[in-house]
Amino acid sequence: MSLPKDFLWGFATAAYQIEGGADQDGRGPSIWDTFCAIPGKIADGSSGAVACDSYNRWKEDIQLLRTVGARAYRFSISWSRVIPLGGRGDPVNKRGLAFYQTFVDALLEAGIEPFVTLFHWDLPDGLEQRYGGLRDRVEFPLDFEHYARTMFAALPRVKHWITFNEPWCSSILGYNLGIFAPGRTSNRALSAEGDSAREPWQVGHNILVAHGRAVKAYRDDFKAASSGGEIGITLNGDAAYPWDPQEPADLEACNRRIEFAISWFADPIYFGDYPASMRKQLGDRLPVFTEEERLLVQGSNDFYGMNHYTANYVRHRTTEPPENDFMGNLDTFFEDKNGHSIGEETQSVWLRSCPRGFRDLIVLISQRYGYPKMYVTENGTSIKGENDLDVNDMIHDDFRARYFDGYVRALAAAVREDGANVRGYLAWSLMDNFEWAEGYETRFGVTYVDYENGQKRIPKKSAFSLKPLFDSLIQN
Ligand code: PNW
C-alpha cells in the first residue's frame, strides 16, 4: 500500500476534443474552429464541431465515470462558450455558464471530484482577431484574469483549478512548428505569418503572466470561501536519458532538454526567473520579467500539474543552434547509441511506453522544486493500428491496460520509495476524442466512441483496469 487514503484518481478530457455543440446556445468560435477550417491542417480533414457530442451527452459521460469507479474527473471550459468574444468588456453568455454549473453539480452529486482546466488551447477567435491573442503581453493576461474570475464566481464548489494546459504545446506547436492553432511559424510553406524564433517565447511569457494574474485573483477573492480550494498550472514533459551514457555532453543535453520543456515555465513559478541555459541560448529573444510580472508569477502554484506520456534519448549537438531551435541544441531519439529502444511503439510518432521514465521524472521534478504537492493531470497512450481494428477487437485494449499498470506502479514507487508528494492521477482519456492535428484517427480513450453511429460509447478493457489497480495501491 503506497498511496494515501485520499488519493484521487480518474480520467481527463478537454472541451474542444469532446464537446461538439460548436454553434449551440451562443458559443463563439475559437482558434481551433478557425484552424480546422483550413484545408490540410487536420489529418482526416475533421474538426471538433461535433466530436463526442458531450455538450448534449454529458449525462452519459457521468454515468460512464460511475461505471468505471472514478473518484475524479478533469475537464476544461470552452472560454468562447462562456464569453463568446472573449474579452473583459464583452458579454457573458448565461447559457454557456449554466451548462458548466449543471455539469459540476451533477459530478458532485455522483461523488466525483471536478478538476477544471480554464484553458486547454481553445482561445476565443475574437481575441486572436482583436489583438493577436496569446501574443499580447498586456491585453491577454487581463482578459484571461477576467474570464478566470467569471468561472471562479460561477463554480464555487470546484476545489481544483488548472489555469493552463501545457503552455509548451500552445507556444511551440502553435507558434514555432505551426502545427496547432493558430498555426503561426517561420515555415512559409505552412503559414504566411509567424516568427518561430521569437513568438513562442513571448507567448510562453504571456501565458505565465496570465496564469499569475488568475492565481492572484483566486487567492485574493475566492480561495478563502472555497474550503480548501487550490490552483496550479499543468506542464507537459518527457523523461530524458543520454544517447551515450559515457558522454558527459549528452548528460548535460538531457538537463537542457528538461529545462527547455519544463523549467521554462516551472522555474519562473518556483524560483522567479527562466533557467540560465535558456537565457544563454536565446538571449533577448526570451522576454525579461518586469518586477510586477515576477511578483505575479513567483510562488503561484498551489500544486504542480504534471502531464506525462513518454521518454527520449538525448544527444548533444556540436554546431551552433539555429534561431528556430526550441529544444536546447540537441537531438532526441527512441533508440540509444547501441540501438536499444526506449519502449514499445504506439500510434503516435512522439510516444513510446517507458514507465521507468515516469518515476525518474516525478523524482527529478520533486527534487528540483522542493517536493511540491503534485497531481498527474494526464497520462495515457494510443495503440498502433487501433483505429483499423473491428470494434470487438478494439475494446480488448490490453496494450493500454498494460501501459497504465506500468505507469501507475512507477508513480506508486516514486511516492513510496522516493518521497514524492503525488496526490492524484487522471488518465488520458475518458473516451476517444478529437486528437487535434491527428483528427479522429488516433484514439487515446479507455472508451470506444462510434462517431458515425449515434456516438455510442463502449468502455474498453482498460477502462475497468484502473479501479482494481488503485484499490490495491491506496491505503484503506
Ligand atoms: C496532450 N507532443 O497533448 C494534450 O493535453 C491532450 O489534449 C492530448 O489529447 C494528449 O496529450 C494526447 O496527445 C500533447 O507532440 C500533444 O509531444 C502533443 C504532444 C504532447 C502532448
Side-chain angles (χ1 to χ4, degrees):
M1 297 295 179
S2 26
L3 299 174
K5 202 173 156 47
D6 58 355
F7 191 91
L8 290 167
W9 70 269
F11 300 89
T13 59
Y16 193 70
Q17 296 181 272
I18 67 161
E19 279 184 4
D23 298 319
Q24 269 180 266
D25 297 340
R27 177 187 178 275
S30 80
I31 56 171
W32 270 93
D33 295 290
T34 319
F35 187 67
C36 292
I38 306 171
K41 299 298 180 193
I42 310 300
D44 54 8
S46 66
S47 78
V50 178
C52 308
D53 196 29
S54 283
Y55 187 69
N56 299 299
R57 292 169 198 273
W58 57 270
K59 285 184 184 157
E60 284 175 58
D61 295 351
I62 293 179
Q63 190 48 49
L64 187 59
L65 287 161
R66 297 175 72 134
T67 304
V68 297
R71 289 187 182 181
Y73 181 53
R74 173 182 178 228
F75 64 97
S76 81
I77 309 281
S78 160
W79 183 344
S80 62
R81 205 182 273 298
V82 173
I83 308 174
L85 289 170
R88 56 199 187 282
D90 297 321
V92 172
N93 177 24
K94 291 268 149 40
R95 287 177 296 174
L97 267 188
F99 170 74
Y100 295 110
Q101 289 170 320
T102 308
F103 186 68
V104 164
D105 286 344
L107 274 178
L108 290 167
E109 181 73 21
I112 299 164
E113 197 59 35
F115 280 70
V116 178
T117 313
L118 289 167
F119 187 88
H120 201 122
W121 306 349
D122 45 355
L123 182 83
D125 195 57
L127 301 183
E128 187 68 30
Q129 306 302 333
R130 190 174 290 161
Y131 53 68
L134 297 171
R135 282 177 288 144
D136 194 299
R137 188 167 181 163
V138 175
E139 293 298 316
F140 174 69
L142 289 171
D143 281 343
F144 183 75
E145 179 191 336
H146 168 261
Y147 157 59
R149 283 181 176 276
T150 306
M151 297 317 304
F152 299 149
L155 304 176
R157 302 175 77 191
V158 169
K159 289 194 182 164
H160 314 279
W161 291 97
I162 295 159
T163 54
F164 286 87
N165 179 69
E166 303 189 345
W168 183 92
C169 286
S170 297
S171 309
I172 298 300
L173 306 181
Y175 295 85
N176 176 293
L177 296 174
I179 55 174
F180 276 17
R184 296 175 64 91
T185 173
S186 294
N187 179 353
R188 293 286 166 260
L190 285 184
S191 170
E193 288 175 37
D195 181 350
S196 297
R198 286 169 189 80
E199 289 182 4
W201 313 114
Q202 186 64 57
V203 163
H205 189 83
N206 301 344
I207 289 175
L208 277 168
V209 174
H211 157 83
R213 281 202 169 277
V215 171
K216 180 169 170 17
Y218 187 67
R219 289 177 178 168
D220 284 352
D221 297 330
F222 300 93
K223 193 174 163 122
S226 70
S227 51
E230 51 184 7
I231 186 163
I233 197 167
T234 278
L235 305 178
N236 59 301
D238 307 335
Y241 296 103
W243 181 77
D244 176 358
Q246 309 304 323
E247 173 56 75
D250 283 357
L251 267 166
E252 279 171 41
C254 285
N255 192 42
R256 283 202 306 282
R257 164 82 172 143
I258 301 282
E259 291 189 331
F260 272 71
I262 295 174
S263 310
W264 173 12
F265 302 100
D267 274 19
I269 289 173
Y270 289 93
F271 306 143
D273 204 359
Y274 293 116
S277 62
M278 293 185 75
R279 179 64 65 197
K280 183 164 179 247
Q281 180 177 320
L282 303 171
D284 62 9
R285 288 185 286 124
L286 187 67
V288 174
F289 284 96
T290 65
E291 185 60 5
E292 188 199 3
E293 289 174 336
R294 190 187 60 76
L295 287 170
L296 284 166
V297 173
Q298 189 170 6
S300 57
N301 254 1
D302 293 337
F303 61 84
Y304 182 107
M306 177 180 184
N307 283 4
H308 180 74
Y309 289 88
T310 193
N312 295 133
Y313 292 114
V314 174
R315 189 172 71 195
H316 73 287
R317 286 187 185 172
T318 50
T319 50
E320 280 296 301
E323 263 210 330
N324 65 356
D325 177 68
F326 56 83
M327 292 221 288
N329 205 28
L330 51 89
D331 291 294
T332 62
F333 305 92
F334 283 127
E335 275 98 33
D336 69 6
K337 190 184 179 186
N338 302 313
H340 177 261
S341 168
I342 207 152
E344 288 175 90
E345 280 182 65
T346 69
Q347 182 64 28
S348 312
V349 289
W350 54 272
L351 204 177
R352 289 201 190 183
S353 164
C354 178
R356 143 179 109 106
F358 192 25
R359 177 172 174 180
D360 288 343
L361 191 60
I362 291 172
V363 171
L364 188 156
I365 290 167
S366 297
Q367 288 176 342
R368 185 166 179 130
Y369 300 112
Y371 291 83
K373 176 178 190 174
M374 296 172 77
Y375 293 106
V376 174
T377 44
E378 280 179 34
N379 172 242
T381 191
S382 57
I383 303 178
K384 203 169 179 57
E386 186 180 24
N387 194 46
D388 304 325
L389 298 176
D390 185 87
V391 57
N392 297 308
D393 295 321
M394 204 191 289
I395 59 173
H396 296 288
D397 60 340
D398 293 280
F399 180 87
R400 185 172 286 108
R402 245 188 302 126
Y403 177 99
F404 285 135
D405 190 82
Y407 273 74
V408 170
R409 288 182 194 284
L411 178 159
V415 171
R416 186 179 60 235
E417 288 165 45
D418 309 321
N421 186 14
V422 187
R423 304 294 193 84
Y425 173 94
L426 299 149
W428 186 269
S429 176
L430 177 63
M431 59 192 135
D432 294 334
N433 58 48
F434 177 70
E435 179 53 15
W436 307 110
E438 300 291 310
Y440 295 94
E441 290 170 352
T442 302
R443 294 174 183 265
F444 270 84
V446 299
T447 302
Y448 165 78
V449 177
D450 189 346
Y451 305 109
E452 264 92 59
N453 301 294
Q455 303 281 347
K456 195 171 159 52
R457 288 130 158 79
I458 307 173
K460 305 175 192 174
K461 193 170 169 180
S462 64
F464 299 103
S465 72
L466 286 176
K467 185 171 190 305
L469 179 58
F470 279 106
D471 282 347
S472 76
L473 294 167
I474 296 174
Q475 292 161 15
N476 46 30

